[in-house]
């Protein structure tokens, strides 16, 4: 049975990945030295194409790391001497906050209930804050923050660095990088790749903060500190032996996305999200977890299930449709459905056929 993964990451691979894997084997990509001229060409081309796809300005640097979780650590190390400020409304924004604590910083936190968004204008940011951390798309709950609100947050606090987690919304979300200092995502979600690679986009101001901390004798990490990453990126390299295959695959998928058109990709995601939310809003068995539509994620749809989600998840799995459990305390109460570029409209419609079927069975 062919399976379709609607899990929020790792998720369904992009349809062209099998072809690109065969090509990678044929071209000996898996054996390339990360110091070779061939790898440098792959590095530069992937960076240039990513810059074009996401409209990243030339002023910002692009680094490759291992995971979104690692990026959180590197961001705190390189941009915070003592105080960061975290908007927390779910598991991954909480992880960002806890990372600062584990690195012996003294972070501030504005916390709301899981499933809620933020009114940034009503939140007072402590004056000692060096870095503001925002999870634009909270994968654990399906809350998405409007990019316009994030821009206003930066405009209202121009003296502070701003980090934005778009791990489960890239490449859908259209970030204005001129109002963000650190933006990051991992490839196993919206780009439909196997796990094992993250991308960090860094402003000149964040680079300067890292230099400042180094000059003060603050520990900013070892091989993956920003200055070392920049030194090697300028040469088309990484400090360590990287996931060469993942960087190659990312470059190939970006080319595929060029053919589809990023506007068309974003429109398709919105269309699928509307179909999903409309169905769950009219259902007697399921309902969207996020009550305010302005905070509903287009890429991670979270629904509550009356009397629990476990049986429905098992039935969907038996049909080859793999959806995500609720996160942590919501594990047996919710279902999380990924809506990434790799998910076709036809597969979404078929998924809903089974949701309807199980709802009718419940009503008998």
């Amino acid at each position: 049975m062919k399976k379709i993964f609607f899990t929020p990451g790792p998720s369904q691979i992009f349809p062209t990945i099998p072809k690109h894997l065969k090509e990678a084997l044929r071209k000996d990509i898996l054996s390339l030295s990360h110091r070779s001229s061939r790898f440098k060409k792959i590095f530069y081309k992937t960076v240039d194409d990513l810059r074009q796809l996401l409209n990243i300005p030339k002023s910002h640097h692009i680094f490759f790391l291992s995971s979104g979780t690692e990026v959180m650590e590197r961001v705190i190390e390189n941009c915070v001497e003592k105080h960061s400020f975290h908007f927390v409304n779910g598991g991954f924004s909480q992880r960002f906050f806890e990372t600062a604590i584990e690195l012996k910083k003294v972070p501030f936190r504005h916390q709301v209930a899981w499933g809620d968004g933020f009114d940034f204008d009503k939140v007072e940011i402590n004056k000692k804050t060096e870095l503001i951390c925002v999870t634009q798309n909270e994968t654990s709950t399906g809350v998405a923050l409007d990019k316009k609100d994030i821009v206003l947050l930066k405009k209202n606090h121009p003296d502070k660095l701003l980090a934005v987690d778009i791990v489960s919304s890239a490449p859908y979300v259209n970030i204005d990088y001129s109002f963000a200092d650190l933006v990051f995502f991992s490839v196993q979600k919206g780009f439909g790749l196997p796990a094992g690679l993250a991308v960090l986009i860094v402003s000149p101001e964040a680079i300067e903060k890292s230099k400042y901390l180094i000059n003060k004798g603050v520990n900013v990490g070892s091989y993956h500190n920003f200055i070392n990453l920049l030194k090697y990126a300028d040469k088309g390299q990484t400090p360590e032996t990287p996931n060469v295959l993942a960087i190659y695959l990312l470059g190939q998928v970006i080319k595929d996305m060029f053919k589809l058109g990023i506007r068309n990709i974003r429109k398709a995601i919105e269309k699928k999200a509307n179909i999903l939310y409309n169905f769950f809003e009219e259902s007697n068995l399921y309902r969207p977890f996020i009550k305010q539509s302005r905070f509903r994620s287009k890429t991670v749809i979270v629904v509550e299930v009356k009397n629990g989600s476990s049986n429905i998840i098992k039935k969907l799995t038996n049909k080859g449709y793999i959806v995500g459990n609720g996160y942590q305390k919501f594990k047996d109460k919710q279902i999380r459905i990924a809506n990434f570029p790799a998910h076709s409209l036809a597969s979404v419609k078929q998924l809903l056929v089974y949701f309807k079927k199980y709802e009718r069975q419940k009503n008998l």
Side-chain angles (χ1 to χ4, degrees):
M1 178 192 298
K2 182 179 180 181
K3 296 179 180 178
I4 301 177
F5 288 83
F6 284 91
T7 43
S11 193
Q12 185 70 15
I13 61 169
F14 204 74
T16 54
I17 289 293
K19 177 186 73 174
H20 295 318
L21 283 171
K22 290 178 182 178
E23 279 293 294
L25 288 168
R26 187 182 67 82
K27 295 177 178 179
D28 295 322
I29 298 298
L30 283 73
S31 300
L32 280 186
S33 166
H34 60 298
R35 300 292 181 241
S36 67
S37 59
R38 284 188 67 195
F39 174 73
K40 290 179 184 179
K41 290 179 182 178
I42 292 170
F43 184 104
Y44 283 133
K45 180 61 174 172
T46 302
V47 166
D48 289 345
D49 285 352
L50 183 62
R51 196 180 295 280
Q52 181 180 343
L53 182 75
L54 299 184
N55 197 27
I56 301 168
K58 291 183 179 180
S59 59
H60 285 50
H61 308 283
I62 298 174
F63 300 147
F64 295 118
L65 292 93
S66 65
S67 69
T69 305
E70 185 203 352
V71 172
M72 292 179 186
E73 183 170 295
R74 304 310 179 202
V75 165
I76 297 295
E77 283 180 326
N78 284 267
C79 295
V80 179
E81 182 176 2
K82 291 183 179 179
H83 302 291
S84 53
F85 189 101
H86 299 257
F87 286 90
V88 177
N89 63 342
F92 293 95
S93 48
Q94 176 67 19
R95 175 68 259 175
F96 212 166
F97 173 73
E98 290 173 355
T99 298
I101 295 174
E102 290 163 1
L103 290 171
K104 309 301 180 184
K105 309 300 180 184
V106 186
F108 305 112
R109 172 175 58 176
H110 176 76
Q111 186 168 16
V112 297
W114 285 34
D116 287 351
F118 300 100
D119 290 321
F120 291 130
D121 289 341
K122 297 180 180 179
V123 179
E124 184 176 348
I125 307 286
N126 191 292
K127 293 180 180 180
K128 296 179 181 179
T129 299
E130 303 159 64
L131 170 73
I132 301 171
C133 301
V134 174
T135 302
Q136 187 274 328
N137 202 78
E138 178 54 77
T139 313
S140 66
T141 59
V143 173
L145 306 177
D146 194 305
K147 62 181 183 179
K148 294 179 182 178
D149 291 335
I150 294 174
V151 168
L152 288 174
L153 181 63
K154 178 64 176 180
K155 285 183 175 180
N156 291 337
H157 304 280
D159 59 324
K160 305 183 190 309
L161 296 176
L162 176 63
V164 184
D165 173 346
I166 60 168
V167 165
S168 57
S169 54
Y172 168 72
V173 65
N174 188 10
I175 291 289
D176 186 341
Y177 291 89
S178 61
F179 292 96
D181 297 288
L182 305 119
V183 181
F184 63 96
F185 63 88
S186 45
V187 300
Q188 74 272 18
K189 300 178 189 290
F191 283 88
L193 270 66
L197 182 70
V199 175
L200 171 61
I201 300 147
V202 182
S203 73
E205 290 78 13
I207 295 292
E208 289 304 312
K209 182 59 181 287
S210 182
K211 291 179 181 177
Y212 168 80
L213 293 179
I214 289 172
N215 291 334
K216 285 196 70 175
V218 177
N219 180 16
V220 297
S222 57
Y223 71 105
H224 267 183
N225 69 63
F226 286 0
I227 308 310
N228 209 35
L229 284 164
L230 179 59
K231 180 178 76 173
Y232 280 92
D234 285 345
K235 299 185 291 185
Q237 299 178 358
T238 57
E240 81 296 1
T241 306
N243 190 336
V244 175
L245 177 61
I247 295 171
Y248 169 80
L249 291 175
L250 177 60
Q252 298 306 304
V253 167
I254 290 171
K255 290 178 184 177
D256 297 329
M257 289 183 172
F258 282 147
K259 295 175 184 176
L260 295 170
I262 189 63
R263 289 184 181 180
N264 293 331
I265 290 171
R266 288 166 175 160
K267 286 180 180 178
I269 286 173
E270 289 171 357
K271 181 176 181 178
K272 291 180 291 175
N274 288 336
I275 290 171
L276 288 162
Y277 280 121
N278 287 340
F279 169 75
F280 292 123
E281 282 180 335
E282 296 173 2
S283 170
N284 293 318
L285 180 62
Y286 322 102
R287 63 178 182 180
F289 177 52
I290 309 306
K291 303 304 180 285
Q292 292 183 273
S293 59
R294 70 187 181 104
F295 289 128
R296 287 178 181 170
S297 170
K298 297 290 194 299
T299 54
V300 180
I301 287 79
V302 179
V303 295
E304 295 176 309
V305 184
K306 288 183 181 178
N307 302 320
S309 58
S310 300
N311 287 337
I312 292 172
I313 290 174
K314 289 178 182 177
K315 289 180 178 180
L316 289 169
T317 299
N318 290 337
K319 293 296 183 179
Y321 286 78
I322 317 300
V323 296
N325 295 316
Y327 196 79
Q328 291 184 357
K329 61 185 178 182
F330 297 116
K331 179 180 179 181
D332 298 321
K333 300 176 182 178
Q334 296 179 350
I335 294 173
R336 292 183 296 156
I337 303 168
N339 176 27
F340 299 143
H343 298 112
S344 68
L345 178 61
S347 67
V348 168
K349 288 181 176 180
Q350 185 58 48
L351 176 67
L352 289 182
V353 167
Y354 290 120
F355 269 109
K356 292 175 185 176
K357 178 181 178 180
Y358 300 136
E359 181 172 13
R360 286 197 298 269
Q361 291 176 353
K362 283 282 186 179
N363 290 333
L364 292 178

